Amino acid sequence: MSKVNRNRKKKRTWLRVTGVLALVFLIGACAYLFSIYTDVSRAVETMHEPIDRKNSDKQKPELVSAEESVETQNKSREPFSVLLLGVDARPGDKGRSDTMIVMTVNPELNSTKMVSIPRDTRTQIVGKGFEDKINHAYAFGGPTMAVETVENFLDIPIDYYVQVNMEGFKDIVNAVGGVTVTNDLTFTEGGHDFNQGKIDLNGEEALAYVRMRKEDPNGDFGRQQRQRQVIQGVINEGRSLSSITKLDEILDALSNNVKTNMTLREMADFQKNYRSASKDLQQIQLQGAGTTIDKIYYQVFSEEEILAVQNKLKTHLEHSESTPASTPN
């Protein structure tokens, strides 16, 4: 066999080997992607828990398929809102929503606003016809009554809710690899010491960090700030590239501890079209005072304070490329 023929044979053999390796790699990649999709679908199915919103005028973002035009897709990038419920469930009792945080997300402004509602806030409980602590709405009627009561309190539509078991919250923090926060108060809680400055927290430490309020001169308001810090930390870690390697652990933690009315398609849309909005997370604090009514402690806010917060959230939800922002009163 001539040298030229030998070289041709070697070249054909190399091409065949390369082709087989490429095919094996492609099959493996497809299998991996399918397994991820399957795992994600299974986790979302476990988390998915719709609520009865027949009487609500809320408007969900209109989602589009990949085949639709860019112009149509841009129109789908509407602001939306989420109510985060941190629930301490108890055996034989659905528990109370000790943490209530509303987030408004605007993809055109590339920003997210986050406001904590103190659990002792006195307000009208929708569906009950009387005023009570706002966290009792969940105890009375689950996420549906909690959503409707918060809608009434803030005068904005709540598009989605995300309910998190607070005991399992530590699993979520551990799944993303822990969080980093800037602590402005030295204290001890649950056997953990927290120093001032930037600190790294694992799940158990994060749970103790967000629960402390007795040593805080700002009481529940200080606790709310720490809750928002940790949630922001989870969001930051969750959107990082390193979270891909922790996918299985993250999915397990979410499926075991989270309930939401979001669908897989909606989550995929938010990941694709709203991701940049999480980079600018602005915190809003309701300013009120504690008072005792009929021997029960409440947080009470003036009409002016509530209106100011309502206007901030309304402006954020209404503003888009086609809608100029209004000026809050």
Side-chain angles (χ1 to χ4, degrees):
M1 183 182 294
S2 67
K3 184 176 181 180
V4 173
N5 289 335
R6 284 197 301 271
N7 288 338
R8 286 178 179 173
K9 186 175 181 180
K10 288 179 180 179
K11 185 176 181 180
R12 285 196 299 270
T13 302
W14 171 248
L15 288 174
R16 283 197 297 270
V17 171
T18 303
V20 170
L21 289 175
L23 181 61
V24 170
F25 176 79
L26 180 61
I27 293 173
C30 290
Y32 176 69
L33 291 175
F34 178 75
S35 70
I36 291 178
Y37 176 80
T38 302
D39 291 343
V40 172
S41 299
R42 189 179 297 114
V44 172
E45 184 178 351
T46 301
M47 292 187 291
H48 187 59
E49 191 168 286
I51 57 177
D52 184 5
R53 309 291 287 125
K54 291 179 181 178
N55 298 323
S56 174
D57 58 357
K58 74 185 181 73
Q59 298 293 322
K60 288 185 180 180
E62 292 294 330
L63 303 180
V64 298
S65 65
E67 292 77 17
E68 294 184 77
S69 67
V70 173
E71 180 181 357
T72 303
Q73 290 186 27
N74 287 337
K75 289 181 180 178
S76 78
R77 289 163 49 86
E78 294 296 327
F80 70 93
S81 60
V82 182
L83 171 62
L84 305 179
L85 298 168
V87 177
D88 275 323
R90 302 149 194 171
D93 181 3
K94 68 176 65 175
R96 289 174 173 79
S97 52
D98 285 342
T99 299
M100 304 182 80
I101 297 175
V102 172
M103 299 176 68
T104 57
V105 183
N106 190 307
E108 302 302 336
L109 296 177
N110 282 332
S111 64
T112 298
K113 292 187 184 296
M114 181 188 299
V115 57
S116 299
I117 304 176
R119 61 182 184 177
D120 296 326
T121 298
R122 183 177 172 87
T123 190
Q124 183 79 12
I125 305 297
V126 175
K128 285 296 182 179
F130 56 77
E131 291 190 339
D132 201 342
K133 295 185 178 185
I134 197 166
N135 72 327
H136 288 182
Y138 178 87
F140 290 139
T144 299
M145 191 173 289
V147 166
E148 292 175 345
T149 297
V150 170
E151 280 186 334
N152 183 68
F153 177 66
L154 293 178
D155 196 29
I156 61 170
I158 300 296
D159 298 310
Y160 302 98
Y161 83 93
V162 177
Q163 175 185 320
V164 182
N165 173 14
M166 289 305 291
E167 279 299 326
F169 180 68
K170 57 188 177 184
D171 297 332
I172 298 174
V173 173
N174 284 333
V176 299
V179 297
T180 301
V181 299
T182 300
N183 181 28
D184 58 6
L185 179 69
T186 298
F187 65 92
T188 298
E189 177 73 18
H192 302 284
D193 297 322
F194 300 97
N195 298 318
Q196 281 184 294
K198 188 169 289 189
I199 56 176
D200 298 323
L201 305 175
N202 61 29
E204 189 174 338
E205 292 167 339
L207 187 58
Y209 183 76
V210 301
R211 279 183 162 168
M212 190 283 287
R213 67 171 178 166
K214 291 183 178 179
E215 293 184 45
D216 195 324
N218 294 318
D220 203 39
F221 294 108
R223 188 179 74 141
Q224 294 162 32
Q225 182 181 6
R226 288 189 293 278
Q227 290 171 348
R228 294 194 298 269
Q229 284 180 330
V230 173
I231 289 172
Q232 184 171 358
V234 171
I235 292 173
N236 292 341
E237 294 296 330
R239 72 164 184 253
S240 69
L241 288 176
S242 62
S243 66
I244 296 175
T245 62
K246 308 165 188 169
L247 184 61
D248 288 341
E249 189 175 352
I250 292 174
L251 290 178
D252 284 343
L254 292 176
S255 61
N256 291 331
N257 299 291
V258 174
K259 294 295 181 184
T260 180
N261 60 337
M262 292 184 189
T263 64
L264 177 59
R265 183 176 173 222
E266 287 166 333
M267 291 181 188
D269 178 71
F270 297 152
Q271 169 66 16
K272 177 182 178 182
N273 295 317
Y274 293 74
R275 181 176 180 140
S276 59
S278 66
K279 296 179 182 178
D280 180 12
L281 204 158
Q282 304 158 16
Q283 299 189 17
I284 301 172
Q285 179 67 62
L286 276 162
Q287 300 293 337
T291 187
T292 300
I293 302 175
D294 295 331
K295 299 181 180 181
I296 299 175
Y297 176 83
Y298 296 98
Q299 281 286 334
V300 177
F301 303 93
S302 68
E303 291 185 7
E304 292 78 11
E305 174 67 11
I306 295 174
L307 182 61
V309 173
Q310 289 176 347
N311 284 336
K312 288 178 182 179
L313 298 179
K314 288 178 181 179
T315 300
H316 198 234
L317 286 172
E318 292 170 358
H319 184 77
S320 63
E321 286 185 327
S322 58
T323 305
S326 58
T327 303
N329 296 326

